[in-house]
């Protein structure tokens, strides 16, 4: 397959370049899903619905003039949908374990050699599932990301 490229908009390039180790330009969200979802089902939904948006299969290359979206020839869902086990907490403190993990993920930068997003799934969380979503702001702003990510759920 030929390498597909597209210049990143100036606004999105600004989001990319504003990032610092102490100020990641990443949108982090948590979804609690009932009924729960398996990793396999989540991957299928992402494949069918989320990956229709090109940036979710593209990595970023920067140059002096800006940045370019480049098709990731080595895209692998395993790098983007991570199965998580939360630290064991006593009954009633599961949310604390989830919050602790979200806090850890919020300060870990996304891998710049890959498309700039990850979903971390806890399959068994309080009778359902929990999903921690990390998406770089250069992919889309918060409002656009709401509609994009909502495309993977029904209702």
């Amino acid at each position: 397959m030929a390498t597909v490229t597209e210049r990143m908009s100036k606004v999105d390039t600004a989001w990319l370049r504003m990032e610092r180790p102490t100020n990641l330009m990443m949108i982090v969200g948590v979804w609690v899903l009932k009924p729960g979802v398996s990793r396999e089902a989540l991957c299928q939904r992402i494949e069918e619905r989320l990956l229709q948006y090109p940036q979710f299969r593209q990595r970023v290359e920067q140059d002096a003039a800006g940045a370019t979206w480049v098709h990731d020839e080595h895209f692998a869902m395993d790098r983007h949908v991570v199965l998580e086990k939360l630290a064991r907490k006593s009954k009633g403190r599961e949310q604390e374990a989830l919050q602790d993990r979200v806090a850890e993920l919020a300060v870990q930068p996304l891998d710049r050699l890959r498309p700039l997003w990850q979903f971390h799934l806890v399959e068994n969380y309080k009778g359902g599932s929990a999903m921690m979503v990390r998406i770089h702001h250069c992919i889309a702003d918060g409002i656009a990301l709401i509609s994009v990510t909502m495309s993977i759920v029904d209702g």
Side-chain angles (χ1 to χ4, degrees), residues 3-10 12-13 16 53-63 66-72 112 114-117 135-140:
T3 301
V4 178
T5 65
E6 175 188 344
R7 289 303 282 181
M8 185 181 286
S9 75
K10 291 184 185 319
D12 292 337
T13 300
L16 188 69
Y53 301 98
Q55 284 82 4
F56 287 90
R57 282 193 184 266
Q58 296 172 326
R59 59 185 174 75
V60 175
E61 288 184 1
Q62 292 191 75
D63 57 36
T68 303
W69 293 107
V70 178
H71 179 76
D72 183 358
R112 291 284 185 107
R114 307 282 174 231
L116 297 173
W117 63 275
I135 302 175
H136 199 284
H137 208 305
C138 71
I139 290 179

Side-chain angles (χ1 to χ4, degrees), residues 3-91:
T3 301
V4 178
T5 65
E6 175 188 344
R7 289 303 282 181
M8 185 181 286
S9 75
K10 291 184 185 319
V11 171
D12 292 337
T13 300
W15 283 114
L16 188 69
R17 290 186 170 177
M18 279 190 281
E19 185 163 277
R20 299 289 178 267
T22 56
N23 187 28
L24 301 178
M25 294 290 118
M26 179 174 54
I27 298 165
V28 179
V30 178
W31 293 7
V32 176
L33 306 168
K34 289 189 180 179
V37 64
S38 68
R39 183 184 183 285
E40 181 181 337
L42 176 60
C43 288
Q44 182 178 347
R45 287 288 178 106
I46 289 170
E47 187 74 39
E48 292 170 355
R49 300 178 185 188
L50 193 65
L51 296 183
Q52 70 177 318
Y53 301 98
Q55 284 82 4
F56 287 90
R57 282 193 184 266
Q58 296 172 326
R59 59 185 174 75
V60 175
E61 288 184 1
Q62 292 191 75
D63 57 36
T68 303
W69 293 107
V70 178
H71 179 76
D72 183 358
E73 301 280 339
H74 305 288
F75 178 84
M77 191 72 78
D78 288 348
R79 293 184 184 121
H80 298 280
V81 180
V82 179
L83 201 53
E84 293 273 347
K85 294 264 189 226
L86 296 177
R88 293 189 61 82
K89 297 278 185 180
S90 60
K91 184 103 172 117

